[in-house]
Amino acid sequence: MAQAQDGTIGVTDQDLVERFRQGDELAFNEIVGRYSSKVLTICTYYMKDPHEALDVSQEVFIKIYRGLPAFRGDSKLSTWIHTIAINTCRNHISFFRRLFSRRTELNDELVVKSSLPGPEDDVLSRERDSILRREVQALPPRFKEIVILKDLQERSYEEIGEILSINQGTVKSRLHRAREALTERLKRSKAF
Amino acid sequence: MDSIVTQPCSQIRESFSAYVDGEVTKSERAIVESHLSACPACRDTLSETVRLVSKLGSLQRVEPGPGYLAALRQRMSVEESFADRVMALLSSQTAVYRFSFAAACVVCVVITADVALRPGAGTARGKLGEPAVFAAGTPAPLVIAEAGVPRGLAPSLRAGRDDAPKAARTPAVRPVGPAPIVLAKAPRPGAGEARQRMRSVKILGPKLETLTRASAADRHPGDTEAGESARPVNESRMAPGQVLAQPPPIDLAAGGNIPGRVPKLEPEPVVEAVQVPAIGRRKLTAVLPAGLEVIEGTPAETAASTATPAATIQIEVSDVADCIKDLVRLVDQIDGLSMRQVLVLSAPAIDLHLGYSGSQQGFVAAVEHLKAGVNGLPGGRTVAVDADGVATATSRLVRIRLPLAGLRSRSGARLGPGEAPGLERRRVMAPDGLVSASKRWYNPSS
């Protein structure tokens, strides 16, 4: 416990879950800290509207907060969180959900782009990134989610199968078709 | 190997994604590579896949800003407040709702009366506005006796157990004979009043109604605010001169004429209903004596709120609210003991603090009596007894500790130790027995 309070180094997800169950609210903050980037990335590439993405990401963490006490640990925490994120995004794109959804104003305090070194300062690269992001967002949901999970979240086929409740053979074929469709779209956009 | 090379390109290309991701077996890899060595078109396709994966991998990830966590926490608290407001709205009855409900009831009554007064349907036929005589077996009109009984969320907050018959939980509509039909009119309450009424009616359901009737006669002269809220809702909200539908007589000896969980209602000082603070996200209710203080907090906070207890009894129970009710009844039966406080700890326990006035021998006997009583409660089991606390000759405190682990919520779901995460609201009982508005999120570890 002392180790957990001093910092997150060496603290496993299971430790955090256990601390949260014992009433330590800070453990939830740490979980948010660990997974907010992943959840935000999923939501941003799943939803077309960044405001919606932010709202949905918050909704994901609210669900996590409510569900953590009942989390049995049958799967990894990361797999469970990814499942919640994907399911929440799926539900949110329905018309009625969007109609009644709340909208949080975006600002730099809430969301920032990754500061990873890359071509983001290059205008041309940024434009290509923008097209690629738009084409990913335009994919059918079942293709979009598998591309996000594999190529952005770098999940293994086994984990993807668990998250999407499909077998690994389906993961392989669906991912192939998704990438094929994305390649076609990019070729049409002359961005490939 | 020839058979490998002769596989169609479309079949081989389906494996390209897995091949690039390193998710193929050795044999699959061998098949793909042997095909690629002989097929330039597939090599181009594979290079496209590699380029695509590379591009996707370099896409920007989204990082939360510094205010993300605060915004999330704020939304969580706002949503909780919103849920409270919806509850209050549902429990309060607006003028529109009242009018609609009253109109619907009048229509029902008129239709029923019309049917009953048709030739052949009854023994007599009267005009509207005149007392009608109903034949035996004719469906009787309904008297809406409890205009304040809320709908919707009531089942989760009613005092009856889940296994109690449904009739026990819905005392609001009661068939009677050909008595005059009166709808109690209530002024539109404020939000606080609505919540209090929700507690004093919805939570207790049939039991409160019976109890308040039993105690109403004793409490009418010089009623306090607490007494006012304890009266039957229809009576306390009657307009001057309005006729009150007479409730049927209550046979206390037979346990009252309203089916409920408690078969026999004994005179007891229970006059108020309070809502025990939420455990996790579940609401628990209990019937407690008026003026009883309910404090929720960390063990340190609650320890500071009371004198040193003379004894600590730890028990396990199956239902928090019912256990508290049973304990109140039990304590009342033991001479010298009186309930002082209910401390609902975030985790892991609920403490009941009791006062005692009497001799040392009497105190020991009272504690033993209490311990035996606790063991006799449904689901109750004494875990530990600590009677080493300081006690004066005239005033002693007994602390009963109820560990939350192993408790069940009203819905029957088991509350494990992980289901009281500590992020709870605080409600403090005011001396008049009404729940004050004090509530806030708090972090036990802070």
Side-chain angles (χ1 to χ4, degrees):
Chain A
M1 186 64 74
Q3 185 188 15
Q5 285 171 347
D6 291 340
T8 58
I9 298 170
V11 180
T12 64
D13 284 349
Q14 197 53 43
D15 292 338
L16 292 177
V17 172
E18 206 51 48
R19 276 172 50 194
F20 179 76
R21 282 180 168 176
Q22 288 168 3
D24 184 356
E25 279 300 307
L26 297 178
F28 180 71
N29 292 357
E30 285 186 33
I31 290 172
V32 174
R34 284 188 184 190
Y35 288 98
S36 53
S37 174
K38 292 182 187 302
V39 170
L40 264 171
T41 302
I42 291 176
C43 297
T44 302
Y45 283 91
Y46 207 110
M47 321 298 298
K48 291 175 184 170
D49 183 351
H51 298 91
E52 279 184 40
L54 179 61
D55 285 342
V56 173
S57 75
Q58 290 180 345
E59 203 176 317
V60 169
F61 281 112
I62 290 172
K63 286 181 179 178
I64 291 168
Y65 181 86
R66 290 172 181 166
L68 263 181
F71 176 64
R72 291 174 305 189
D74 294 342
S75 59
K76 288 197 294 186
L77 182 67
S78 62
T79 306
W80 183 67
I81 288 176
H82 277 86
T83 308
I84 291 177
I86 289 290
N87 288 338
T88 308
C89 289
R90 280 179 184 172
N91 293 339
H92 202 84
I93 57 175
S94 74
F95 172 77
F96 287 105
R97 286 298 306 273
R98 292 177 66 179
L99 196 65
F100 295 107
S101 68
R102 44 180 282 133
R103 170 168 287 216
T104 305
E105 288 304 319
L106 275 182
N107 58 48
D108 289 344
E109 282 288 300
L110 298 176
V111 175
V112 294
K113 296 295 181 190
S114 169
S115 57
L116 288 173
E120 58 266 24
D121 296 329
D122 181 347
V123 176
L124 209 62
S125 298
R126 265 199 304 200
E127 178 62 22
R128 277 201 295 265
D129 268 11
S130 169
I131 293 172
L132 183 55
R133 188 173 64 245
R134 205 171 56 232
E135 295 301 342
V136 170
Q137 288 169 336
L139 285 172
R142 66 199 186 102
F143 286 169
K144 180 163 50 183
E145 59 200 23
I146 205 163
V147 166
I148 291 171
L149 287 173
K150 181 62 205 168
D151 294 319
L152 288 159
Q153 301 291 308
E154 294 163 2
R155 299 287 108 191
S156 69
Y157 281 23
E158 187 183 353
E159 274 182 289
I160 293 172
E162 204 174 333
I163 292 166
L164 300 179
S165 299
I166 54 179
N167 62 42
Q168 286 192 45
T170 310
V171 172
K172 277 184 188 178
S173 59
R174 190 179 292 179
L175 185 60
H176 167 70
R177 289 202 303 277
R179 283 174 174 167
E180 213 172 41
L182 185 57
T183 306
E184 285 304 311
R185 295 185 73 94
L186 288 170
K187 280 180 179 172
R188 280 204 299 271
S189 307
K190 297 184 171 49
F192 195 73
Chain B
M1 187 63 75
D2 286 344
S3 64
I4 292 174
V5 175
T6 55
Q7 274 191 348
C9 292
S10 59
Q11 195 175 334
I12 290 293
R13 286 174 187 177
E14 285 200 359
S15 303
F16 281 179
S17 280
Y19 178 77
V20 171
D21 294 331
E23 296 267 2
V24 288
T25 60
K26 279 185 179 176
S27 60
E28 286 171 331
R29 177 178 294 277
I31 293 171
V32 170
E33 287 176 351
S34 63
H35 182 94
L36 286 173
S37 64
C39 182
C42 283
R43 281 203 296 272
D44 289 346
T45 307
L46 180 67
S47 67
E48 279 182 357
T49 306
V50 171
R51 274 174 62 203
L52 178 70
V53 171
S54 167
K55 276 174 175 287
L56 287 168
S58 67
L59 270 178
Q60 282 184 326
R61 271 61 170 174
V62 185
E63 296 287 341
Y68 183 81
L69 182 62
L72 172 65
R73 285 290 191 184
Q74 187 186 2
R75 180 170 170 185
M76 289 166 76
S77 61
V78 166
E79 290 203 351
E80 186 66 24
S81 305
F82 177 74
D84 283 348
R85 285 203 300 275
V86 170
M87 273 180 58
L89 186 67
L90 288 174
S91 60
S92 69
Q93 293 167 357
T94 63
V96 173
Y97 167 76
R98 287 174 187 286
F99 178 80
S100 308
F101 190 55
C105 290
V106 168
V107 169
C108 289
V109 167
V110 168
I111 291 171
T112 308
D114 186 49
V115 170
L117 296 176
R118 283 176 193 276
T123 57
R125 179 173 186 169
K127 295 175 183 176
L128 281 177
E130 293 178 0
V133 180
F134 289 86
T138 303
L142 300 177
V143 169
I144 309 305
E146 307 288 344
V149 175
R151 312 141 296 145
L153 295 174
S156 64
L157 292 173
R158 283 180 181 134
R161 279 180 176 164
D162 288 335
D163 55 358
K166 281 189 178 179
R169 302 183 210 159
T170 52
V173 180
R174 186 171 59 242
V176 298
I181 295 166
V182 178
L183 296 176
K185 294 179 182 176
R188 180 176 179 171
E193 185 187 351
R195 291 178 70 82
Q196 286 162 16
R197 193 176 73 231
M198 176 186 74
R199 290 193 175 85
S200 61
V201 177
K202 181 158 66 176
I203 292 174
L204 284 176
K207 188 178 177 189
L208 177 71
E209 179 187 313
T210 312
L211 288 170
T212 50
R213 278 185 192 144
S215 60
D218 303 333
R219 298 177 58 84
H220 274 207
D223 261 342
T224 61
E225 192 183 358
E228 177 70 21
S229 68
R231 282 194 230 157
V233 172
N234 57 343
E235 186 181 358
S236 63
R237 300 181 198 292
M238 289 286 290
Q242 200 171 2
V243 181
L244 174 68
Q246 291 298 318
I250 298 169
D251 185 2
L252 285 176
N257 61 347
I258 300 172
R261 188 179 63 80
V262 182
K264 183 177 179 179
L265 292 172
E266 299 168 358
E268 54 184 347
V270 177
V271 292
E272 251 330 316
V274 299
Q275 186 162 335
V276 176
I279 295 176
R281 296 188 60 78
R282 297 177 174 86
K283 308 285 186 205
L284 300 169
T285 59
V287 184
L288 301 172
L292 188 64
E293 194 179 8
V294 177
I295 297 176
E296 183 193 4
T298 62
E301 287 172 335
T302 53
S305 68
T306 183
T308 306
T312 299
I313 299 178
Q314 291 192 353
I315 65 171
E316 287 178 350
V317 293
S318 59
D319 185 293
V320 177
D322 286 330
C323 178
I324 292 175
K325 282 189 282 186
D326 290 335
L327 282 167
V328 168
R329 196 174 291 114
L330 180 66
V331 166
D332 192 51
Q333 291 171 356
I334 301 175
D335 286 339
L337 277 183
S338 60
M339 191 73 81
R340 292 278 177 86
Q341 287 181 325
V342 177
L343 307 176
V344 182
L345 309 181
S346 57
I350 290 175
D351 282 1
L352 299 187
H353 288 192
L354 311 170
Y356 179 76
S357 57
S359 65
Q360 181 65 32
Q361 291 81 0
F363 171 69
V364 173
V367 170
E368 285 304 309
H369 191 171
L370 189 60
K371 183 182 164 187
V374 167
N375 284 333
L377 291 178
R381 184 170 68 83
T382 302
V383 173
V385 177
D386 175 12
D388 294 335
V390 178
T392 65
T394 56
S395 175
R396 300 167 193 274
L397 287 171
V398 180
R399 172 183 288 179
I400 300 177
R401 173 153 290 184
L402 315 171
L404 293 184
L407 302 184
R408 285 182 189 279
S409 71
R410 185 154 299 287
S411 64
R414 194 166 181 81
L415 288 175
E419 295 185 84
L423 190 69
E424 297 168 3
R425 282 180 300 179
R426 162 179 296 197
R427 288 198 170 95
V428 180
M429 284 292 289
D432 61 2
L434 301 176
V435 176
S436 74
S438 167
K439 61 179 184 180
R440 67 181 174 86
W441 293 99
Y442 79 100
N443 181 357
S445 63
S446 61

